[in-house]
Amino acid sequence: MSDRYQDFTASTIGKQITKLLGLPQPTRLERYAEGAPLVDGTVAVGGRGRLAESLVGILDTLGIAGVETPAGETPGDATTYKGLVFDATGLTSSDQLVALRDFFTPLLRSLDRCPRVVVIGTPPELVDGAERVAQRALEGFTRSLGKEIGRGGTVQLVYVADGAEGSVASTLAFLLSPKSAYVSGQVVRIGAHGAAKPCEVADWTRPLEGKVAVVTGASRGIGEQIARVLHRDGATVIGIDVPQAASELQGVMRELDGDHLVLDITAKDAPQRIAHHLQTKHGGVDVVVHNAGITRDRKLANMAPNEKGDRFEQVVAVNLTAPERITRELLDQGVVNKGGSIIGVASIAGIAGNVGQTNYTASKAGVIGLVDSLADELKDGITINAVAPGFIITQMTAAVPFATREVGQRLNALAQGGLPVDVAETIAWYASPGSTAVNGNVVRVCGQMMLGA
């Protein structure tokens, strides 16, 4: 589905009119294509901290060209950078924050189109005093820079706990590449819930080789794209969907050489059936993606209790209670393999709220609660994280009234809607064996919303 406004702004007359009226001029985002390098260009690295000396080497293992750039150095006129990484873990007081200005200001005008910027810090909750103040300040800096960088660029903050320095590769691979095209202004924590030993990734182009992944709601839309990206990364995918979508589900799984299970995830015996299928046919599961979800919108004053097809109860049952029950069953039976990953699909609506969606927003906020409740409880290197999509262009959003749809797409730093693949790429990053220290995170896939969350 094309973005007609973006197509218009790319035309000669469209550029002139939007510039004259001060309207958004969204950059066409670069997205990852299978077989392409993770980063098509050079990444400048700077800072003084726990990771400074190892960053260029880490990038080299990913096939990314990294170059150390001292603070204050102005590149030549012909020099361009595809990304910037600054190690701010060495900033221990607020007066040292000027180091951010000293590094970034000379380089920002040398950034290529759709650049990636990453600042690395220490989780503020793990340090005290002046250092805690300085590290917390990094969030304001990165979020503001994300809203001013322009040209399709993104900015992220990665908090790395002491001892988790060896676990940053998969996160840098994601955040510096086109895979994170619609993720900006986010804060990622590595090792904040214990520094799990990173798993070796033999092939960064197929990090899920030999792994088994299950995706609910996999017949179409975001779920189908999740299945396709996990398959691209090497996983054997088991898709789950309701009987009404059986034909579509079977078609997708046949194309991906995967497996399928047709059932209603809210059924009383659904968790047991899923666990039995995964255990007996696949010997367990490595990646669990709770994607299935529904909406039944209506203002709360008009949402009568015990109505036929109870809107509140149905939405909570599908979006939250079913993932809770399935997760618990898989964990209790030991179906999730060591180093496995559980991933929930929340929503930015669950963070900021939405008119007419008290049922939906409660369920999606609950998905975040599920992450919070289990992050410190899981054993054997199993992790749990969530994505919170913003305005993602799907068949469902195509039915939204034009004016509402346009506002929804433009009110973010990238001035456009995201695609299902943007959600899928974020989930694939969580699922990677190299992300074993990425636990308890909720990352918004929203182009960095300008208002609300």
Side-chain angles (χ1 to χ4, degrees), residues 21-355:
L21 297 177
L23 296 173
Q25 294 181 308
T27 298
R28 198 168 298 279
L29 302 181
E30 296 175 355
R31 289 184 168 86
Y32 180 74
E34 188 172 2
L38 282 174
V39 177
D40 186 14
T42 302
V43 175
V45 175
R48 291 183 180 179
R50 291 181 282 113
L51 292 95
E53 293 183 359
S54 61
L55 282 173
V56 171
I58 292 171
L59 296 181
D60 185 60
T61 65
L62 299 170
I64 300 173
V67 58
E68 291 187 21
T69 306
E73 181 174 301
T74 301
D77 293 339
T79 303
T80 60
Y81 296 113
K82 198 64 178 179
L84 305 175
V85 179
F86 183 78
D87 181 2
T89 60
L91 304 184
T92 57
S93 61
S94 59
D95 62 304
Q96 296 175 359
L97 291 169
V98 71
L100 296 164
R101 191 271 322 270
D102 292 345
F103 175 75
F104 284 107
T105 299
L107 300 177
L108 288 174
R109 297 187 188 280
S110 298
L111 289 176
D112 201 350
R113 179 177 170 275
C114 294
R116 303 281 177 260
V117 173
V118 176
V119 174
I120 300 174
T122 302
E125 64 272 19
L126 300 183
V127 293
D128 298 312
E131 183 176 2
R132 182 167 187 161
V133 173
Q135 291 299 317
R136 182 58 180 82
L138 298 178
E139 293 191 31
F141 175 83
T142 52
R143 286 185 169 134
S144 290
L145 183 57
K147 292 180 178 179
E148 68 179 56
I149 191 170
R151 302 188 66 201
T154 63
V155 181
Q156 326 290 349
L157 173 59
V158 179
Y159 280 134
V160 181
D162 191 9
E165 294 84 0
S167 301
V168 301
S170 70
T171 299
L172 289 178
F174 172 63
L175 296 179
L176 291 174
S177 77
K179 295 181 178 183
S180 59
Y182 202 60
V183 177
S184 189
Q186 298 307 292
V187 179
V188 176
R189 282 173 164 77
I190 299 179
H193 294 272
K197 184 179 179 181
C199 296
E200 183 177 347
V201 178
D203 183 354
W204 285 101
T205 64
R206 290 179 64 83
L208 297 176
E209 191 72 55
K211 303 296 183 181
V212 175
V214 62
V215 182
T216 64
S219 66
R220 57 190 171 127
I222 293 175
E224 177 187 348
Q225 197 60 55
I226 293 168
R228 292 186 181 280
V229 169
L230 295 181
H231 168 73
R232 179 204 70 192
D233 283 2
T236 296
V237 181
I238 300 95
I240 297 177
D241 221 318
V242 293
Q244 301 93 301
S247 179
E248 294 171 283
L249 177 66
Q250 291 167 11
V252 173
M253 290 304 117
R254 187 163 49 245
E255 185 180 341
L256 301 182
D257 196 25
D259 188 12
H260 69 276
L261 188 59
V262 177
L263 55 73
D264 179 350
I265 60 171
T266 65
K268 185 176 181 180
D269 64 345
Q272 292 75 24
R273 289 178 59 191
I274 294 171
H276 178 77
H277 184 90
L278 293 174
Q279 192 72 281
T280 56
K281 291 198 65 176
H282 300 279
V285 67
D286 301 286
V287 182
V288 179
V289 183
H290 294 297
N291 165 75
I294 62 172
T295 57
R296 297 288 186 272
D297 296 354
R298 182 172 289 180
K299 287 186 177 180
L300 189 60
N302 301 321
M303 202 176 296
N306 302 317
E307 62 182 338
K308 184 179 180 180
D310 189 298
R311 293 170 184 264
F312 206 101
E313 187 175 4
Q314 283 184 348
V315 169
V316 173
V318 173
N319 297 359
L320 179 57
T321 306
E324 280 187 278
R325 294 176 61 232
I326 293 167
T327 298
R328 181 53 61 191
E329 186 70 21
L330 295 179
L331 291 173
D332 287 348
Q333 290 200 31
V335 180
V336 182
N337 297 327
K338 291 183 178 180
S341 179
I342 301 167
I343 304 157
V345 177
S347 169
I348 195 164
I351 299 171
N354 233 356
V355 174

Side-chain angles (χ1 to χ4, degrees), residues 343-421:
I343 304 157
V345 177
S347 169
I348 195 164
I351 299 171
N354 233 356
V355 174
Q357 289 194 318
T358 51
N359 49 0
Y360 181 77
T361 56
S363 70
K364 292 304 185 179
V367 171
I368 297 172
L370 183 62
V371 171
D372 292 341
S373 70
L374 290 179
D376 289 319
E377 178 183 324
L378 299 175
K379 309 296 182 183
D380 298 323
I382 298 171
T383 61
I384 184 166
N385 297 280
V387 294
F391 193 100
I392 305 298
I393 300 172
T394 63
Q395 290 180 340
M396 182 176 70
T397 57
V400 174
F402 175 79
T404 304
R405 187 170 70 247
E406 282 302 303
V407 171
Q409 290 185 91
R410 307 306 160 206
L411 283 181
N412 60 74
L414 298 173
Q416 59 195 285
L419 301 179
V421 70

